[in-house]
Amino acid sequence: MIKAVRGTRDLLPPETALWNFVEATVREVFRAYNFQEIRTPIFEETQLFARGVGEETDIVSKEMYTWEDRGRAASEKGQSLTLRPENTAGVVRAYIEHKLGDRGLNKLYYIGPQFRRERPQKGRYRQFYQIGAEVIGPASSGSDKPVRDAEILEMLATLLDRLGIRNWNLEINSVGNAQERVAFNDALRKALEPVAASMCADCQRRATTNPLRVLDCKVPEDQPIIEKLPRITDYLQEESTRHFADVRALLESAGVPFQVNPRLVRGLDYYTRTAFEFTHGALGAQNAILGGGRYDGLSEALGGPPAPGIGFAMGEDRLVLALQEQTPNIVKAPDAYIAPMGAGTNQAAIGLAKALRQAGLVIDLGDESFRLKKSFETASKLGARFILIVGENEVRSGEFALKNLATGEQTTVPRAELAAKLQAS
RNA sequence: GUGGGAGUAGCUCAACCGGCAGAGCACCGGACUGUGGCUCCGGAUGUUGCGGGUUCGAUUCCCGUCUCCCACCCCA
């Protein structure tokens, strides 16, 4: 038997209804903040991710689906292509390519699949879905202002509330600009040298490979050491410090609860200044539901004009998982099940079904060969509110037997009044 | 990529020391030929993930492999 490949999966009803609910809510909320949708290709030149996300990140160095495309001529070497591992690089590429800044398109959102070749785990798949938004534009558009950061965070808090996600937690930090990050990294490396040997095995390795990750260590014995390590906030210059302070003040004005987490670091190279993460308790080790931050130098890194920006990516798989644990299914049951009965009654039934559907009702239809008992069983199983019997008697008289399956009440209704009757009750 | 656990009917899971592969739910038919849910009777479930090995005999023991789950690395 051929099965879905490792790390991919089929989304089946009724779960798909939850996905549609999430996406519809996202579109509605984002629209209120004047974001518009962008759809970028699912694969891009490998170089885009190498330069945009960072050569040294795990994503680029070992988690991408990359292949060499066929050259146009037999002698020509094909270009290296990659299934997108995230969507920000693609959006910024499109921003540059179509000069979106000049067209005033500064607020964009996307919903779609991304691909990373990781070991699958709950809430972590090789084809996974992300919802994200980016505010990007020339500095003159205000895209570098603290109010943009606060506005996006407030939008996310509103979205999670609207989705009915309870117990989310927002942590923010500032990781500084490019120069400040380098200075902090050096200081951290130096501070770790004498103490690393007394830390856990993971930290000993991180101390040289990725000092920022040491701050993320959860081993209790290491905490006293980590407390004494330099903090990023000590390495922020006046401008970054003020930016961060402004963001915090604006969040308070907007009524968005948050915690400053000086240890919050982000994995992708392009992040600057504000970094944030929303977490949710019920997701195990994969507790981050969305994360993001500012990326003021990304456009230049990709050969574009200066265009400060801020954005986030939300794991839709995990969002749905969190919702499933707290909400029952939301599929709307059919309003009526139509049961034709007797040779030729299908003809009347299909026309009737069409008319009722056009009136906005959800209608399912049986077949004239079914015994009435089977039709009742099916209607009950589907959870239909009513069963409408289209037998030979009904077709002849133009009046139909309509039974409320919950109350058992049955009435005879003329064809012209069926839609109104079903809508009213 | 690393470590551990698990894969048996559509679903949830049993099967003792290696001896005919089972139950509940769901499904189909009937009791009831124009009235569901409840009840009763009957029925079909299957490459025991896949491939190999040991054995008279393997769901069971061994090896390999695939997938899922948990954790690590990393990250949304």
Side-chain angles (χ1 to χ4, degrees):
Chain A
M1 187 185 20
I2 297 176
K3 297 187 291 188
V5 306
R6 179 174 208 191
T8 69
R9 58 190 182 137
D10 301 306
L11 300 174
L12 306 173
E15 189 185 331
T16 39
L18 207 46
W19 286 73
N20 284 326
F21 163 71
V22 166
E23 289 168 18
T25 306
V26 161
R27 291 174 194 284
E28 198 180 314
V29 171
F30 288 5
R31 185 64 207 121
Y33 293 76
N34 201 28
F35 279 84
Q36 292 182 270
E37 183 177 9
I38 182 170
R39 300 192 190 194
T40 66
I42 228 164
F43 57 89
E44 302 261 7
E45 273 188 52
T46 303
Q47 268 304 303
L48 174 66
F49 305 117
R51 284 160 61 186
V53 179
E55 298 272 10
E56 301 309 315
T57 59
D58 274 39
I59 295 179
V60 171
S61 63
K62 56 186 200 199
E63 293 174 1
M64 295 204 302
Y65 280 97
T66 298
W67 72 99
E68 187 181 299
D69 199 23
R70 213 176 301 165
R72 269 168 297 186
S75 58
E76 188 188 20
K77 190 172 163 51
Q79 54 181 169
S80 179
L81 302 179
T82 293
L83 290 179
R84 62 186 187 195
E86 56 94 57
N87 218 149
T88 297
V91 170
V92 174
R93 193 221 81 236
Y95 172 86
I96 296 167
E97 183 171 338
H98 304 290
K99 297 188 165 48
L100 299 184
D102 296 349
R103 296 160 63 169
L105 292 173
N106 298 329
K107 294 170 123 182
L108 302 165
Y109 77 88
Y110 59 85
I111 298 175
Q114 320 290 337
F115 305 84
R116 286 183 206 169
R117 204 176 180 292
E118 301 177 287
R119 186 84 168 247
Q121 197 179 138
K122 195 178 193 70
R124 163 182 249 177
Y125 304 96
R126 289 184 166 186
Q127 173 173 335
F128 58 103
Y129 294 80
Q130 282 191 331
I131 295 167
E134 318 287 350
V135 179
I136 182 171
S140 62
S141 71
S143 61
D144 61 334
K145 302 294 189 220
V147 71
R148 295 286 86 77
D149 306 39
E151 189 181 23
I152 270 210
L153 288 166
E154 184 270 309
M155 176 172 85
L156 287 168
T158 297
L159 174 64
L160 293 178
D161 288 342
R162 281 281 300 279
L163 287 171
I165 297 276
R166 287 177 243 303
N167 308 322
W168 53 261
N169 192 36
L170 166 61
E171 296 184 351
I172 65 171
N173 192 22
S174 176
V175 297
N177 62 29
Q179 296 78 38
E180 292 158 350
R181 286 179 67 165
V182 170
F184 174 61
N185 236 306
D186 288 348
L188 199 56
R189 231 176 258 272
K190 269 202 200 79
L192 280 168
E193 254 172 50
V195 296
S198 56
M199 302 184 78
C200 70
D202 283 338
C203 282
Q204 294 187 29
R205 182 173 35 73
R206 290 175 186 139
T208 51
T209 59
N210 193 353
L212 283 179
R213 301 302 314 180
V214 173
L215 301 177
D216 229 14
C217 178
K218 282 136 199 151
V219 177
E221 292 75 31
D222 287 355
Q223 299 310 307
I225 300 174
I226 294 169
E227 289 298 329
K228 295 198 188 92
L229 292 172
R231 294 191 161 206
I232 178 70
T233 42
D234 299 331
Y235 288 79
L236 299 183
Q237 313 250 312
E238 196 193 338
E239 214 185 326
S240 290
T241 303
R242 193 172 52 235
H243 189 279
F244 190 33
D246 286 351
V247 171
R248 296 194 312 260
L250 286 164
L251 283 176
E252 276 164 25
S253 303
V256 177
F258 65 93
Q259 291 174 307
V260 173
N261 177 358
R263 297 184 189 178
L264 179 66
V265 293
R266 311 256 74 225
L268 310 188
D269 285 358
Y270 54 64
Y271 283 114
T272 58
R273 293 191 178 170
T274 310
F276 57 87
E277 195 167 285
F278 281 77
T279 55
H280 186 271
L283 294 174
Q286 312 299 321
N287 68 341
I289 213 167
L290 74 92
R294 194 158 262 297
Y295 44 84
D296 291 342
L298 182 56
S299 176
E300 288 105 308
L302 293 176
I310 181 168
F312 64 86
M314 178 174 346
E316 191 174 2
D317 304 79
R318 289 186 196 172
L319 201 59
V320 169
L321 206 56
L323 281 173
Q324 277 177 320
E325 297 190 357
Q326 60 179 46
T327 37
N329 79 61
I330 55 172
V331 181
K332 186 176 182 256
D335 292 303
Y337 180 83
I338 296 184
M341 206 180 54
T345 54
N346 270 347
Q347 291 168 32
I350 196 165
L352 196 47
K354 177 183 177 185
L356 295 175
R357 286 162 177 158
Q358 285 179 343
L361 295 158
V362 178
I363 305 293
D364 211 337
L365 176 62
D367 182 84
E368 64 186 28
S369 69
F370 294 167
R371 290 176 307 105
L372 190 61
K373 174 185 166 59
K374 176 188 168 87
S375 293
F376 267 83
E377 285 170 351
T378 303
S380 298
K381 215 178 316 172
L382 292 173
R385 295 165 52 230
F386 286 88
I387 185 168
L388 177 61
I389 298 166
V390 182
E392 283 156 349
N393 298 338
E394 280 83 356
V395 173
R396 208 175 303 118
S397 68
E399 301 210 331
F400 296 84
L402 182 68
K403 184 168 183 178
N404 183 319
L405 287 166
T407 65
E409 181 197 2
Q410 181 165 334
T411 51
T412 302
V413 183
R415 179 183 164 122
E417 292 168 25
L418 279 170
K421 171 83 180 168
L422 284 168
Q423 276 157 345
S425 42

